[in-house]
Coordinates of all heavy atoms in Angstrom, one line a residue:
P106 N 8.9 32.0 -3.8 CA 8.7 32.3 -5.3 C 8.0 33.7 -5.4 O 7.1 34.1 -4.6 CB 7.7 31.3 -5.8 CG 7.7 30.2 -4.7 CD 8.0 30.9 -3.4
V107 N 8.5 34.5 -6.4 CA 7.9 35.8 -6.7 C 7.4 35.6 -8.1 O 8.2 35.7 -9.1 CB 8.9 36.9 -6.5 CG1 8.2 38.2 -7.0 CG2 9.4 37.0 -5.1
K108 N 6.1 35.3 -8.3 CA 5.6 35.0 -9.6 C 4.3 35.8 -9.8 O 3.3 35.6 -9.0 CB 5.4 33.5 -9.7 CG 4.8 33.1 -11.0 CD 4.8 31.5 -11.1 CE 3.8 31.1 -12.1 NZ 4.3 30.4 -13.2
L109 N 4.2 36.5 -10.8 CA 3.0 37.2 -11.2 C 2.1 36.3 -12.1 O 2.5 36.0 -13.2 CB 3.3 38.6 -11.9 CG 2.1 39.4 -12.3 CD1 1.3 39.9 -11.1 CD2 2.5 40.6 -13.2
Y110 N 1.0 36.0 -11.6 CA 0.1 35.1 -12.4 C -0.7 36.0 -13.4 O -1.0 37.1 -13.1 CB -0.9 34.3 -11.5 CG -0.2 33.1 -10.9 CD1 0.7 33.2 -9.9 CD2 -0.5 31.8 -11.5 CE1 1.3 32.0 -9.4 CE2 0.1 30.7 -11.0 CZ 1.0 30.8 -10.0 OH 1.6 29.7 -9.5
P111 N -1.0 35.4 -14.6 CA -1.8 36.2 -15.5 C -3.1 36.6 -14.9 O -3.7 35.8 -14.2 CB -2.1 35.2 -16.6 CG -1.1 34.1 -16.5 CD -0.7 34.1 -15.0
G112 N -3.5 37.8 -15.1 CA -4.8 38.3 -14.5 C -4.6 39.0 -13.2 O -5.6 39.6 -12.7
V113 N -3.4 38.9 -12.6 CA -3.2 39.6 -11.3 C -2.6 40.9 -11.5 O -1.7 41.1 -12.3 CB -2.3 38.7 -10.4 CG1 -2.0 39.4 -9.1 CG2 -3.0 37.3 -10.2
W114 N -3.1 41.9 -10.8 CA -2.7 43.3 -10.9 C -1.3 43.4 -10.1 O -1.2 43.0 -9.0 CB -3.7 44.2 -10.2 CG -3.3 45.7 -10.4 CD1 -3.4 46.5 -11.5 CD2 -2.7 46.5 -9.4 NE1 -2.9 47.7 -11.2 CE2 -2.5 47.7 -9.9 CE3 -2.2 46.2 -8.0 CZ2 -1.9 48.8 -9.2 CZ3 -1.6 47.3 -7.3 CH2 -1.5 48.5 -7.9
T115 N -0.4 44.1 -10.8 CA 0.9 44.5 -10.2 C 1.0 46.0 -10.2 O 0.6 46.6 -11.1 CB 2.1 43.8 -10.9 OG1 3.3 44.3 -10.3 CG2 2.1 44.2 -12.4
P116 N 1.6 46.5 -9.1 CA 1.8 48.0 -9.1 C 2.9 48.4 -10.1 O 3.1 49.6 -10.3 CB 2.2 48.3 -7.7 CG 2.7 47.0 -7.1 CD 2.0 45.9 -7.8
L117 N 3.6 47.5 -10.7 CA 4.7 47.8 -11.6 C 4.1 48.1 -13.0 O 3.5 47.3 -13.6 CB 5.7 46.7 -11.7 CG 6.5 46.4 -10.4 CD1 7.6 45.4 -10.7 CD2 7.0 47.6 -9.7
K118 N 4.4 49.4 -13.4 CA 3.8 49.8 -14.7 C 4.6 49.1 -15.8 O 5.8 48.9 -15.8 CB 4.1 51.3 -14.8 CG 3.3 52.0 -15.9 CD 3.3 53.5 -15.7 CE 2.8 54.2 -16.9 NZ 3.7 54.3 -18.1
D119 N 3.8 48.6 -16.8 CA 4.4 48.0 -18.0 C 5.1 46.7 -17.7 O 6.0 46.3 -18.5 CB 5.4 48.9 -18.7 CG 4.7 50.2 -19.2 OD1 3.5 50.2 -19.4 OD2 5.4 51.3 -19.2
K120 N 4.8 46.0 -16.6 CA 5.4 44.7 -16.3 C 4.3 43.7 -16.3 O 3.2 43.9 -15.7 CB 6.2 44.7 -15.0 CG 7.4 45.7 -15.0 CD 8.5 45.3 -15.9 CE 9.6 46.4 -15.9 NZ 10.6 46.2 -16.9
G121 N 4.6 42.5 -16.8 CA 3.6 41.5 -16.8 C 4.2 40.2 -16.3 O 5.3 40.1 -15.9
P122 N 3.4 39.1 -16.4 CA 3.8 37.8 -15.9 C 5.1 37.3 -16.5 O 5.9 36.6 -15.9 CB 2.7 36.9 -16.4 CG 1.5 37.8 -16.5 CD 2.0 39.1 -16.9
E123 N 5.4 37.8 -17.8 CA 6.7 37.3 -18.4 C 7.9 38.0 -17.7 O 9.0 37.6 -17.9 CB 6.6 37.5 -19.9 CG 6.5 38.9 -20.4 CD 5.1 39.5 -20.2 OE1 4.1 38.8 -19.8 OE2 4.9 40.7 -20.5
D124 N 7.6 39.1 -17.0 CA 8.7 39.9 -16.4 C 8.9 39.5 -14.9 O 10.0 39.7 -14.4 CB 8.4 41.4 -16.4 CG 8.2 41.9 -17.9 OD1 9.1 41.6 -18.7 OD2 7.1 42.5 -18.1
I125 N 7.9 39.0 -14.3 CA 8.0 38.8 -12.8 C 7.9 37.3 -12.5 O 6.7 36.8 -12.4 CB 6.9 39.6 -12.1 CG1 7.1 41.1 -12.5 CG2 7.0 39.4 -10.6 CD1 6.0 42.0 -11.9
D126 N 9.0 36.7 -12.5 CA 9.0 35.2 -12.2 C 10.4 34.8 -11.7 O 11.2 34.5 -12.5 CB 8.6 34.5 -13.5 CG 8.5 33.0 -13.3 OD1 8.6 32.5 -12.1 OD2 8.4 32.2 -14.3
F127 N 10.6 35.0 -10.4 CA 11.9 34.5 -9.9 C 11.6 34.0 -8.5 O 10.5 33.9 -8.0 CB 12.9 35.7 -9.9 CG 12.4 36.9 -9.1 CD1 12.8 37.1 -7.8 CD2 11.7 38.0 -9.7 CE1 12.4 38.2 -7.0 CE2 11.3 39.1 -9.0 CZ 11.7 39.2 -7.7
V128 N 12.7 33.4 -7.9 CA 12.6 32.8 -6.6 C 13.7 33.3 -5.7 O 14.8 33.4 -6.1 CB 12.8 31.3 -6.8 CG1 12.7 30.6 -5.4 CG2 11.7 30.7 -7.7
V129 N 13.3 33.6 -4.5 CA 14.3 34.1 -3.5 C 14.6 32.9 -2.6 O 13.7 32.2 -2.0 CB 13.7 35.2 -2.6 CG1 14.7 35.6 -1.5 CG2 13.4 36.5 -3.5
V130 N 15.9 32.6 -2.5 CA 16.4 31.6 -1.6 C 17.0 32.3 -0.4 O 18.0 32.9 -0.5 CB 17.4 30.6 -2.2 CG1 18.0 29.7 -1.2 CG2 16.8 29.9 -3.4
R131 N 16.2 32.3 0.7 CA 16.6 33.1 1.9 C 17.3 32.1 2.9 O 16.6 31.1 3.2 CB 15.4 33.7 2.5 CG 15.5 34.3 3.8 CD 14.2 34.8 4.4 NE 14.3 35.3 5.7 CZ 13.2 35.5 6.5 NH1 12.0 35.4 6.1 NH2 13.4 36.0 7.8
E132 N 18.4 32.5 3.4 CA 19.0 31.7 4.5 C 18.1 31.8 5.7 O 17.6 32.9 6.0 CB 20.4 32.2 4.8 CG 21.3 31.2 5.5 CD 20.9 30.9 6.9 OE1 20.5 31.9 7.6 OE2 20.9 29.8 7.3
N133 N 17.8 30.7 6.4 CA 16.7 30.8 7.3 C 17.1 30.4 8.8 O 16.2 30.3 9.6 CB 15.6 29.8 6.8 CG 14.2 30.2 7.2 OD1 13.9 31.3 7.3 ND2 13.4 29.2 7.3
T134 N 18.3 30.2 9.1 CA 18.7 29.8 10.5 C 19.9 30.5 11.1 O 20.4 30.1 12.1 CB 19.0 28.3 10.5 OG1 20.0 28.0 9.5 CG2 17.8 27.4 10.2
E135 N 20.3 31.6 10.4 CA 21.5 32.3 10.9 C 21.3 33.8 10.8 O 20.1 34.3 10.9 CB 22.7 31.9 10.1 CG 23.1 30.4 10.2 CD 24.5 30.1 9.7 OE1 25.1 31.0 9.0 OE2 25.0 29.0 10.0
G136 N 22.4 34.5 10.7 CA 22.3 35.9 10.5 C 21.9 36.7 11.7 O 22.1 36.3 12.8
L137 N 21.1 37.7 11.5 CA 20.6 38.6 12.6 C 19.5 37.9 13.4 O 19.2 38.4 14.5 CB 20.1 39.9 12.0 CG 21.2 40.9 11.7 CD1 20.6 42.1 10.9 CD2 21.9 41.5 13.0
Y138 N 19.0 36.8 12.9 CA 17.9 36.1 13.5 C 18.3 35.2 14.7 O 17.5 34.6 15.4 CB 17.1 35.3 12.5 CG 16.1 36.2 11.7 CD1 16.6 37.1 10.9 CD2 14.8 36.0 11.9 CE1 15.7 37.9 10.2 CE2 13.8 36.8 11.2 CZ 14.3 37.7 10.3 OH 13.4 38.5 9.6
V139 N 19.6 35.0 14.8 CA 20.1 34.0 15.8 C 19.8 34.4 17.2 O 19.7 33.6 18.1 CB 21.7 33.8 15.6 CG1 22.3 33.1 16.8 CG2 21.9 33.1 14.3
G140 N 19.7 35.8 17.4 CA 19.4 36.2 18.8 C 20.7 36.3 19.6 O 20.6 36.1 20.8
A141 N 21.8 36.5 19.0 CA 23.1 36.7 19.7 C 23.3 38.1 20.0 O 23.2 39.0 19.1 CB 24.2 36.1 18.9
G142 N 23.6 38.4 21.3 CA 23.8 39.8 21.6 C 23.2 40.1 23.0 O 23.0 39.1 23.8
G143 N 23.0 41.3 23.3 CA 22.5 41.6 24.7 C 22.5 43.1 25.0 O 22.8 43.9 24.1
F144 N 22.0 43.3 26.1 CA 21.9 44.7 26.6 C 23.0 44.9 27.6 O 23.5 44.0 28.3 CB 20.6 45.0 27.3 CG 19.4 44.9 26.5 CD1 18.5 43.8 26.7 CD2 19.1 45.8 25.5 CE1 17.4 43.7 25.9 CE2 18.0 45.7 24.7 CZ 17.1 44.6 24.9
F145 N 23.4 46.1 27.8 CA 24.4 46.5 28.8 C 23.8 47.8 29.4 O 23.4 48.7 28.6 CB 25.8 46.8 28.2 CG 26.8 47.2 29.1 CD1 27.0 46.6 30.3 CD2 27.6 48.3 28.8 CE1 28.0 47.0 31.2 CE2 28.6 48.7 29.7 CZ 28.8 48.1 30.9
K146 N 23.6 47.9 30.7 CA 23.1 49.1 31.3 C 21.7 49.4 30.8 O 21.3 50.5 30.5 CB 24.0 50.3 31.1 CG 25.4 50.1 31.7 CD 26.1 51.4 31.7 CE 27.5 51.3 32.3 NZ 28.3 52.5 32.3
K147 N 20.9 48.3 30.6 CA 19.6 48.4 30.0 C 18.7 49.4 30.8 O 18.7 49.4 32.1 CB 18.9 47.1 30.0 CG 17.6 47.1 29.2 CD 17.0 45.7 29.1 CE 15.6 45.8 28.4 NZ 14.9 44.6 28.4
G148 N 18.0 50.2 30.1 CA 17.1 51.2 30.7 C 17.7 52.4 31.3 O 17.0 53.3 31.8
T149 N 19.0 52.5 31.2 CA 19.7 53.8 31.6 C 20.1 54.6 30.4 O 20.0 54.1 29.2 CB 21.0 53.5 32.4 OG1 22.0 53.0 31.4 CG2 20.8 52.4 33.4
R150 N 20.5 55.8 30.6 CA 20.9 56.7 29.5 C 22.2 56.2 28.8 O 22.6 56.6 27.8 CB 21.0 58.1 29.9 CG 19.7 58.7 30.4 CD 19.8 60.2 30.8 NE 20.2 61.0 29.6 CZ 19.3 61.5 28.8 NH1 18.1 61.2 28.9 NH2 19.7 62.2 27.7
D151 N 22.9 55.3 29.5 CA 24.1 54.7 28.9 C 23.9 53.4 28.2 O 24.8 52.7 27.9 CB 25.2 54.6 30.0 CG 25.6 55.9 30.6 OD1 25.6 56.9 29.9 OD2 25.9 55.9 31.9
E152 N 22.7 53.1 28.0 CA 22.3 51.8 27.5 C 23.1 51.4 26.2 O 23.2 52.3 25.3 CB 20.8 51.6 27.3 CG 20.4 50.3 26.6 CD 19.0 50.0 26.8 OE1 18.2 50.7 27.5 OE2 18.6 49.0 26.2
V153 N 23.5 50.2 26.1 CA 24.1 49.7 24.9 C 23.3 48.4 24.5 O 23.0 47.6 25.3 CB 25.6 49.3 25.1 CG1 26.2 48.7 23.8 CG2 26.4 50.4 25.7
A154 N 23.0 48.3 23.2 CA 22.3 47.1 22.7 C 23.1 46.6 21.6 O 23.4 47.3 20.6 CB 20.9 47.5 22.3
V155 N 23.4 45.3 21.6 CA 24.2 44.7 20.6 C 23.5 43.5 20.0 O 22.9 42.7 20.8 CB 25.6 44.2 21.1 CG1 26.4 43.5 20.0 CG2 26.4 45.4 21.7

Side-chain angles (χ1 to χ4, degrees):
V107 177
K108 178 175 157 115
L109 178 68
Y110 277 76
V113 176
W114 182 82
T115 175
L117 299 190
K118 192 165 174 283
D119 300 332
K120 298 291 176 191
E123 62 290 353
D124 303 306
I125 303 174
D126 183 7
F127 59 93
V128 178
V129 177
V130 174
R131 167 188 177 190
E132 200 292 320
N133 211 28
T134 53
E135 296 195 346
L137 280 168
Y138 279 67
V139 167
F144 297 111
F145 178 51
K146 299 190 180 176
K147 189 176 178 189
T149 72
R150 294 183 65 83
D151 296 326
E152 177 162 353
V153 180
V155 177

